[in-house]
């Protein structure tokens, strides 16, 4: 059965790193929302006279955010139509709180949770300090706003409940503070493949 695998969670939690490990070992279409949206977001931000590296300001959220999710999910749905696995990476902050969001996305291609294997890995870290250090160490221009506006940004780091209507066994909250040992990677594979 085709799989739709989500790696979601706050910035700095290691979603992309986990997804890369998975795809290198098991294959599938690697669909990182940041990568897919970047050219359009930079163009929109430049045209508006805004910082093209901004991914967190209210202006970005209003004019680019939803476009990124639409691009990413359209690419994922196309993979599913081809009976291929889709690995989707992004925060999905707003979408997590909508119980009908996942069903609505699958319905766009005439699919449902009965004919697509859904797995959601919610990566998180144990404390705000760990997030801040990870974000600082990765040294990305896309993180400057986060660090410069930490008091405002930090609320996005709270672990959230994923409310999508799916089997409880389809959701794994993954503390990603430890290195990905062989044993932890085996645990991740056991979750995704069952």
């Amino acid at each position: 059965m085709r799989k739709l695998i989500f790696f979601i969670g706050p910035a700095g939690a290691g979603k992309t790193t986990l997804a890369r490990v998975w795809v290198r070992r098991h294959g599938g279409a690697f669909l990182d929302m940041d990568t897919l949206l970047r050219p359009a977001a930079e163009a929109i931000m430049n045209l508006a006279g805004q910082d093209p590296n901004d991914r967190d300001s209210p202006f970005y959220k209003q004019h680019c955010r939803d476009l990124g999710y639409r691009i990413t999910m359209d690419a994922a749905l196309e993979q599913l139509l081809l009976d291929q696995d889709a690995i989707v990476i992004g925060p999905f902050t707003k979408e997590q709180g909508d119980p009908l969001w996942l069903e609505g996305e699958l319905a766009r291609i005439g699919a449902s949770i009965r004919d697509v294997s859904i797995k959601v890995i919610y990566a998180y870290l144990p404390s705000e300090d760990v997030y801040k250090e990870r974000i600082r160490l990765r040294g990305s221009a896309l993180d400057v706003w986060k660090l410069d506006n930490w008091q405002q940004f930090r609320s996005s780091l709270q672990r959230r409940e994923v409310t999508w209507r799916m089997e409880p066994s389809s959701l794994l909250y993954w503390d990603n503070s430890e290195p990905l040992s062989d044993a932890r990677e085996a645990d991740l594979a056991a979750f995704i493949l069952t």
Side-chain angles (χ1 to χ4, degrees):
M1 181 184 292
R2 56 198 168 162
K3 291 181 178 58
L4 178 55
I5 304 168
F6 290 92
F7 287 86
I8 67 174
K15 305 177 292 291
T16 304
T17 301
L18 281 175
R20 283 183 179 138
V21 168
W22 176 260
V23 170
R24 282 188 185 114
R25 297 269 172 112
H26 302 278
F30 182 87
L31 304 168
D32 186 331
M33 199 242 342
D34 285 340
T35 302
L36 295 170
L37 177 60
R38 185 168 291 138
E42 287 175 356
I44 291 167
M45 298 299 278
N46 274 323
L47 286 170
Q50 301 291 317
D51 177 1
N53 290 318
D54 170 14
R55 296 295 179 271
D56 297 284
S57 71
F59 183 91
Y60 172 85
K61 301 260 191 236
Q62 180 181 356
H63 297 285
C64 299
R65 183 213 183 269
D66 291 346
L67 175 63
Y69 285 95
R70 186 71 272 137
I71 290 168
T72 304
M73 287 310 300
D74 283 353
L77 295 170
E78 181 109 21
Q79 292 301 309
L80 296 176
L81 279 173
L82 296 169
D83 288 325
Q84 301 296 312
D85 294 347
I87 293 79
V88 178
I89 305 101
F92 287 85
T93 308
K94 179 171 65 174
E95 293 75 11
Q96 294 170 42
D98 179 354
L100 301 177
W101 180 83
L102 180 59
E103 290 173 289
E105 287 297 313
L106 292 172
R108 293 170 69 95
I109 61 166
S112 74
I113 59 172
R114 289 178 297 284
D115 55 23
V116 176
S117 175
I118 305 295
K119 295 295 178 170
V120 179
I121 298 91
Y122 185 109
Y124 70 94
L125 298 173
S127 74
E128 181 183 319
D129 291 338
V130 179
Y131 279 110
K132 191 170 189 178
E133 183 65 7
R134 283 236 185 127
I135 290 169
R136 188 185 64 73
L137 286 174
R138 66 187 184 183
S140 171
L142 302 179
D143 291 331
V144 170
W145 189 94
K146 294 174 182 70
L147 294 169
D148 287 349
N149 297 275
W150 189 257
Q151 289 306 314
Q152 181 180 348
F153 173 74
R154 64 196 286 264
S155 65
S156 71
L157 303 174
Q158 296 174 7
R159 192 171 121 175
R160 301 170 192 278
E161 181 183 357
V162 178
T163 63
W164 301 337
R165 294 198 313 197
M166 60 187 176
E167 292 296 320
S169 61
S170 294
L171 174 62
L172 175 67
Y173 286 95
W174 180 269
D175 180 340
N176 202 27
S177 58
E178 299 296 321
L180 191 60
S181 64
D182 290 345
R184 284 174 53 81
E185 191 175 335
D187 289 345
L188 186 62
F191 166 73
I192 293 173
L193 295 174
T194 57

